[in-house]
Amino acid sequence: MSTDLRADMASPVLLDPLDRALIVATQAGLPLVPEPYAALAAELAMSADEVMARLTQLQAAGIIRRIGAVPNHYAIGWTANGMTVWDVPDEQVDQLGPLIGALPFVTHCYRRPRALPAWPYNLFAMVHGSSREECASKAAEIRAVLGEACRAGEILYSTRILKKSGLRLS
């Protein structure tokens, strides 16, 4: 279980000390005990109902996106990881990005600046699969959604994990 912080907020939000403590206590996952909210409540000197209410409020405010299981994709056989990169007209990225991000197999989707002339890509979408062929098939689906707007694309495959973690407050 994990709590994900929003990365797309327009302006920073000041958290009260209890909300911040709750985020810090849950950012590596909920305690793996029969009553995780009660365990958090004991750690933070509040009631389990208050823990749940605060998490609900943080989610409603967009400060955390979700509370859910985050599987280790390597452990379940998804050993191929490909960052697909696409060259589409800049004026179409805001329209196309959400379409690509809505595909069920896309885990991350970003608009990023080009680095011309060597790097023409401005739309990025991460896909995972059990093989490079599966990732290539998913990239073909993305290309089909992009249609005529797609001028070029590539898949950058991961070859080694150097570090993998989510955002952590300290």
Side-chain angles (χ1 to χ4, degrees), residues 6-13 62:
R6 274 185 68 169
D8 62 346
M9 298 195 70
S11 60
V13 173

Side-chain angles (χ1 to χ4, degrees), residues 57-69:
Q57 290 168 350
L58 289 167
Q59 188 173 13
I63 295 169
I64 59 173
R65 285 191 302 248
R66 62 185 166 85
I67 299 172

Side-chain angles (χ1 to χ4, degrees), residues 17 25 37 39 59 80-81 107-108 118 129-130 133 139 162 166:
Y37 297 111
Q59 188 173 13
N81 306 291
T107 59
H108 301 76
S130 60
E133 292 76 22
L162 301 175

Side-chain angles (χ1 to χ4, degrees), residues 84-164:
T84 65
V85 296
W86 306 98
D87 173 14
V88 299
D90 289 328
E91 61 276 4
Q92 290 184 289
V93 174
D94 289 342
Q95 171 199 359
L96 295 169
L99 297 175
I100 302 308
L103 294 170
F105 54 82
V106 171
T107 59
H108 301 76
C109 187
Y110 305 97
R111 176 185 197 147
R112 294 201 173 152
R114 304 171 191 277
L116 296 173
W119 192 255
Y121 306 109
N122 58 346
L123 182 60
F124 293 60
M126 189 72 182
V127 299
H128 306 278
S130 60
S131 66
R132 287 188 175 197
E133 292 76 22
E134 185 178 350
C135 288
S137 175
K138 291 174 178 178
E141 289 185 53
I142 293 172
R143 183 180 292 274
V145 171
L146 295 174
E148 292 182 13
C150 182
R151 299 185 289 219
E154 291 187 43
I155 306 173
L156 309 175
Y157 290 103
S158 301
T159 57
R160 182 172 169 223
I161 297 174
L162 301 175
K163 178 181 180 180
K164 184 171 178 71

